[in-house]
Amino acid sequence: MASPHPTPTQRNAGIDLVRVLMTMLVILHHTAIVYGGSGGWFWRQEPNASNPLLVMFNAVNQSYFMGLFFLLAGYYTPASRKNRPMK
């Protein structure tokens, strides 16, 4: 008879590291917007400031970081749903 509680599995340290680094990148991204990067934010240090380095940093980040978060979430969803069936 199967146990009602699934056995814990080993965590993938590499994937955890990618998630931590991407989360830190999101924090840096939003901080860069405040100091002159491209993007909308409710407050800016200088209202019309534009720093080319921060604009480029934000443009590169916006091209992949949210997509990578969704890719990681989608990759692990089936295994998570298998371990925790709907009630």
Side-chain angles (χ1 to χ4, degrees):
M1 183 163 159
S3 171
H5 302 289
T7 58
T9 58
Q10 197 75 355
R11 291 187 65 95
N12 186 332
I15 297 297
D16 287 343
L17 178 63
V18 168
R19 290 175 55 203
V20 167
L21 292 176
M22 294 304 295
T23 302
M24 290 171 40
L25 188 64
V26 169
I27 293 168
L28 290 174
H29 177 88
H30 286 104
T31 303
I33 292 172
V34 171
Y35 291 102
S38 62
W41 200 246
F42 64 92
W43 184 79
R44 286 182 171 264
Q45 183 70 20
E46 296 291 328
N48 295 322
S50 179
N51 182 326
L53 183 63
L54 293 177
V55 169
M56 188 57 128
F57 174 74
N58 282 5
V60 170
N61 288 340
Q62 288 173 340
S63 68
Y64 72 91
F65 75 86
M66 286 307 294
L68 185 57
F69 272 126
F70 281 111
L71 178 74
L72 290 173
Y75 182 76
Y76 287 103
T77 298
S80 177
R81 294 299 308 150
K82 185 176 124 187
N83 290 336
R84 294 173 189 90
M86 286 194 274
K87 296 181 180 187

